[in-house]
Amino acid sequence: MNWKNSATVLLSTIPIFSFIFLTSLPVHGEIILLKNGNSIETKILKEDEQFVTVQAPGGKVKIPTGEIRMIWRGSKEALVEVRGREVLLAKGLELYKEGKFKEGAESFEQAISQGESSFFVYANLGSAYASSGEVQKAERNFLKILERDPENDIVLSNLAHCYYAAKKFPQAVRIYEHLVLKSPANREVKQGLASCYYAAGSFRMAAETFEKLEPIHDIATLNNQAAALVQLGEFEKAGAILRRIIQADPRFIKPYLNLAEISLRSGKYEAAIFQYNKALSVDPRNSAARAGLARVAAAEKEFSRAEGLFKEVAAADPACPEAQYGLAQLFVEQKKYDKAIAQYENILKKDPDNPAVLNNIGLLYLRTNRPEVALVTYRRLFRTDDGYAKGHVNAGLAYALINDAENALGEWDRALALDPHLESALQNKRLLEETMRGEQSGKKA
């Protein structure tokens, strides 16, 4: 929770949700539905690739297969039911294509309520929920499809993106790694994996994966590689890449922001201001650059001016994460912990399940010696994401502070089960176990 934790500027490479388009339902029968909307109840005499021959009052009639929408073999009543579900599926598809994701999801749910249980309806329902931001419902439907077809690449990609959107990065990483093994030449999947590594804090893996994409002529991927290198503190290598990008396209703003980040982390505040102003010369309303100037003011301990600048950016662009998080970090820097908590809660109003924000709130309660309140926050976090390992580490600290060793160890075991290399959990567990052994030894003596 300091200025060095502020993210470098990564250009998102996670693909949008893929939609699985519906085909005609696979049914056959004695009722022929034509593409012009008419239907013929008849007896089919012969079928081949070009024609369907039927019995008509005047004799045999050949109907070109290209004019047939569906052939149904069954009762009229059953056909009405099937067509009703098909209408709902088609309606859901159209609504999705129009960007009306919630309405599309409702149409798919109605089809399910009428007995539809095909691959298409659950896969597309998941995509509709994911696109509307209802991550848990999306996940449930994607997993339902994967029970039937565990290696479906489209559904796996959608589920990975779903986890990414929900900030469940370890789960997203596992799926993308599996997809890369299946399709090592798939560039889009590799980009998704690299972005997930970055978001999960695995900056070395992110840098290496972006580099393997061989982004010589791809300035967006080059910028992402440089962003990961900045996080690793490899400023010289990152700077060389960023300057090369600017030479290729001086209108691309993100390299200026990442060069500013390098200067800011190096304590070269005038150089940081220069780079932020370069970005603003390209786009005078760029919120990230304006928030960057506020970060420079904060780094120079001009807290009042920094707060004013952050609030100015947030008022103009309420969705600007650099301003919202920067303001919270500014309050932490000044030890105004209750104001920092209030600012993080303000962020949660728009992103209520953000595990990193909930974790930061819990840490602030721990910092102000309120472990019981911290535990309330961590339980809130685990209700939406029990797989957030860092949260379990800090929940363990909260239990340790109230002398509940059993639950503290349980939380650290859970953290290590999620991430076996999590040093903070290993160290905390080792120290508590050593303390407990010492106390038991003292009692025996």
Side-chain angles (χ1 to χ4, degrees):
M1 293 173 57
N2 53 49
W3 296 108
K4 289 187 177 181
N5 287 335
S6 298
T8 46
V9 184
L10 186 76
L11 187 69
S12 176
T13 56
I14 296 291
I16 60 172
F17 293 103
S18 300
F19 202 70
I20 299 175
F21 291 94
L22 303 171
T23 59
S24 296
L25 295 178
V27 293
H28 302 278
E30 303 292 341
I31 301 174
I32 298 177
L33 305 178
L34 301 176
K35 290 183 178 179
N36 63 11
N38 295 326
S39 62
I40 303 170
E41 186 175 357
T42 184
K43 182 179 181 181
I44 297 175
L45 303 174
K46 183 181 177 182
E47 295 179 60
D48 57 40
E49 292 183 1
Q50 291 184 311
F51 297 99
V52 174
T53 304
V54 302
Q55 183 67 55
K60 298 178 183 179
V61 175
K62 287 185 176 182
I63 302 173
T65 55
E67 296 179 8
I68 297 173
R69 183 164 181 264
M70 180 193 297
I71 301 175
W72 174 259
R73 183 172 284 113
S75 68
K76 289 183 179 179
E77 293 77 13
L79 176 60
V80 169
E81 289 182 14
V82 170
R83 294 202 71 187
R85 296 200 297 268
E86 187 182 33
V87 167
L88 289 168
L89 291 173
K91 180 182 176 183
L93 172 60
E94 288 303 316
L95 289 167
Y96 185 98
K97 288 164 66 178
E98 292 171 8
K100 299 176 180 178
F101 304 122
K102 289 186 178 180
E103 294 88 342
E106 288 172 5
S107 188
F108 293 133
E109 290 281 18
Q110 288 174 15
I112 291 171
S113 71
Q114 292 190 18
E116 180 61 41
S117 61
S118 66
F119 167 92
F120 297 106
V121 69
Y122 286 112
N124 290 332
L125 178 59
S127 293
Y129 276 135
S131 296
S132 65
E134 297 189 64
V135 173
Q136 289 182 318
K137 290 182 179 179
E139 178 186 8
R140 185 167 62 248
N141 283 283
F142 289 143
L143 290 174
K144 194 169 292 186
I145 287 298
L146 291 172
E147 288 175 4
R148 307 182 190 181
D149 186 4
E151 293 299 321
N152 186 284
D153 288 354
I154 293 177
V155 177
L156 285 168
S157 294
N158 281 350
L159 182 58
H161 185 27
C162 184
Y163 284 140
Y164 182 91
K167 298 178 175 61
K168 297 182 177 182
F169 303 123
Q171 293 95 316
V173 164
R174 283 196 291 272
I175 294 174
Y176 273 121
E177 286 178 337
H178 177 65
L179 287 170
V180 167
L181 286 174
K182 288 181 66 182
S183 306
N186 189 318
R187 184 179 178 85
E188 188 177 85
V189 169
K190 286 182 179 178
Q191 286 178 326
L193 176 60
S195 295
C196 282
Y197 279 143
Y198 186 97
S202 300
F203 301 120
R204 176 63 61 196
M205 296 293 289
E208 291 175 356
T209 306
F210 281 128
E211 188 172 14
K212 286 176 183 176
L213 288 166
E214 299 180 352
I216 298 173
H217 303 295
D218 181 354
I219 60 175
T221 302
L222 274 173
N223 175 76
N224 290 346
Q225 180 190 350
L229 291 170
V230 172
Q231 291 286 6
L232 292 166
E234 298 181 19
F235 298 153
E236 186 174 343
K237 185 176 180 180
I241 293 172
L242 294 166
R243 285 186 288 272
R244 192 163 78 244
I245 296 171
I246 290 170
Q247 281 185 331
D249 184 0
R251 303 292 297 175
F252 186 26
I253 287 178
K254 295 183 186 297
Y256 296 117
L257 301 178
N258 282 326
L259 283 171
E261 184 71 26
I262 291 172
S263 296
L264 185 56
R265 294 188 183 207
S266 303
K268 299 175 181 178
Y269 302 134
E270 288 299 321
I273 291 170
F274 175 79
Q275 294 295 342
Y276 285 130
N277 283 330
K278 289 281 286 184
L280 290 169
S281 70
V282 177
D283 177 10
R285 300 176 65 181
N286 187 276
S287 298
R290 293 173 64 208
L293 293 173
R295 290 179 59 213
V296 174
E300 293 179 323
K301 307 299 181 185
E302 296 182 19
F303 296 133
S304 179
R305 186 165 73 89
E307 183 174 344
L309 289 171
F310 277 130
K311 288 182 176 179
E312 186 179 307
V313 178
D317 182 5
C320 175
E322 293 86 357
Q324 298 292 346
Y325 286 92
L327 194 55
Q329 290 179 322
L330 179 66
F331 292 140
V332 172
E333 190 85 359
Q334 298 174 85
K335 296 183 171 56
K336 296 179 179 179
Y337 299 127
D338 285 338
K339 292 188 75 171
I341 290 170
Q343 176 59 20
Y344 279 129
E345 290 287 359
N346 188 50
I347 294 170
L348 287 175
K349 289 177 183 177
K350 294 184 178 179
D351 190 6
D353 298 331
N354 189 311
V357 174
L358 287 166
N359 184 54
N360 283 347
I361 292 173
L363 280 171
L364 288 170
Y365 282 130
L366 289 176
R367 187 174 288 192
T368 53
N369 198 28
R370 291 180 276 181
E372 294 89 349
V373 185
L375 283 170
V376 172
T377 301
Y378 286 116
R379 291 181 192 121
R380 176 182 171 189
L381 189 165
F382 301 145
R383 280 196 296 272
T384 58
D385 186 3
D386 189 53
Y388 193 72
K390 292 179 182 177
H392 286 286
V393 173
N394 295 323
L397 285 174
Y399 278 119
L401 287 171
I402 60 174
N403 298 315
D404 187 343
E406 182 178 353
N407 276 316
L409 290 172
E411 292 292 342
W412 293 330
D413 283 337
R414 173 66 177 149
L416 290 169
L418 293 165
D419 184 354
H421 305 293
L422 200 56
E423 187 59 36
S424 53
L426 286 167
Q427 185 175 356
N428 291 341
K429 184 181 179 184
R430 186 164 52 247
L431 286 171
L432 181 56
E433 287 175 338
E434 288 174 357
T435 301
M436 291 171 67
R437 282 195 295 270
E439 290 176 351
Q440 290 169 358
S441 177
K443 288 177 182 177
K444 289 178 182 177

